[in-house]
Amino acid sequence: MTTLNIPVLSGFRQSSVSLAGSFPVRAWFGPDGGTAVVVPHMDLLRMVRQEPLLRATFLADGAVLSQPGSDYLAALPLVFLEGVGLKCYDLRGAGLPLREASVLPAAA
């Protein structure tokens, strides 16, 4: 049996993010002014499905984003948010052109 050391984060505020031309997905912004963006598993799937050039590979301790035909590769660590109860991925360092959306998407 493998034990994973998954961090539990606190102090995040709920919002939503989107990539240019895509529908927003649920996200939580960190207490550091928004540089930490955490997205739940199903919302990351929605985001990837909306972007034809973005692929996700899910692993036990995170996910990897890639773009076929390019050098883009980003590791997304798995995290849990205190009080949220969802498996989430930390998008810090992914280099995605995310923008905060003004409307929260409906819950899945």
Side-chain angles (χ1 to χ4, degrees):
M1 181 173 155
T2 302
T3 302
L4 299 175
N5 186 15
I6 300 171
V8 177
L9 307 176
S10 62
F12 280 59
R13 68 174 172 84
Q14 186 176 5
S15 186
S16 61
V17 295
S18 66
L19 294 167
S22 67
F23 292 106
V25 296
R26 293 176 300 168
W28 279 261
F29 284 84
D32 57 359
T35 58
V37 179
V38 175
V39 175
H41 181 84
M42 292 305 295
D43 293 86
L44 182 60
L45 279 174
R46 276 189 210 100
M47 183 185 297
V48 168
R49 286 182 183 147
Q50 293 181 65
E51 287 296 316
L53 297 178
L54 199 57
R55 301 286 182 266
T57 303
F58 294 96
L59 310 168
D61 61 349
V64 175
L65 293 181
S66 62
Q67 287 181 328
S70 81
D71 293 340
Y72 177 76
L73 195 66
L76 308 178
L78 181 64
V79 297
F80 287 104
L81 291 181
E82 186 177 284
V84 175
L86 297 172
K87 179 169 67 171
C88 299
Y89 299 93
D90 187 345
L91 298 183
R92 260 183 303 212
L96 296 172
L98 296 173
R99 57 186 177 172
E100 187 169 5
S102 58
V103 177
L104 291 176

